[in-house]
Amino acid sequence: MVDSVGNELNDGDSVSLIKDLTVKGAGQTLKRGTVIKSIRLTGDDQEIDCRHPTIKGLVLRAEFVRKV
């Protein structure tokens, strides 16, 4: 799996958001530049499972993140 600029992503990597994302069901927006630590890859090649202190069960698309 690769991020928005083509860097290879692995379990445990940290990523940064490249645009503001509205989180459905949580009623909040994650701002561009937010760093998400310890990602986990899923069976889908474009979805990343991750944790954020205020949002549990967060799944992001690889096209919206950049490896830190």
Side-chain angles (χ1 to χ4, degrees), residues 15 36-40 48-52 55-60:
V15 295
I36 306 289
K37 298 177 183 177
S38 291
I39 64 168
R40 285 173 294 178
I48 300 167
D49 186 31
C50 50
R51 292 185 183 175
H52 188 267
I55 304 169
K56 294 182 181 176
L58 182 63
V59 177
L60 297 173

Side-chain angles (χ1 to χ4, degrees), residues 5-68:
V5 293
N7 295 324
E8 184 71 27
L9 294 174
N10 299 306
D11 284 338
D13 285 345
S14 294
V15 295
S16 170
L17 299 179
I18 62 167
K19 66 180 263 184
D20 291 352
L21 297 175
T22 302
V23 181
K24 294 180 183 176
Q28 69 183 122
T29 302
L30 293 176
K31 299 292 184 185
R32 182 174 56 106
T34 301
V35 175
I36 306 289
K37 298 177 183 177
S38 291
I39 64 168
R40 285 173 294 178
L41 305 180
T42 63
D44 185 343
D45 21 323
Q46 281 301 310
E47 291 185 352
I48 300 167
D49 186 31
C50 50
R51 292 185 183 175
H52 188 267
T54 59
I55 304 169
K56 294 182 181 176
L58 182 63
V59 177
L60 297 173
R61 304 245 335 142
E63 63 194 81
F64 300 123
V65 299
R66 175 177 50 91
K67 189 173 181 177
V68 177

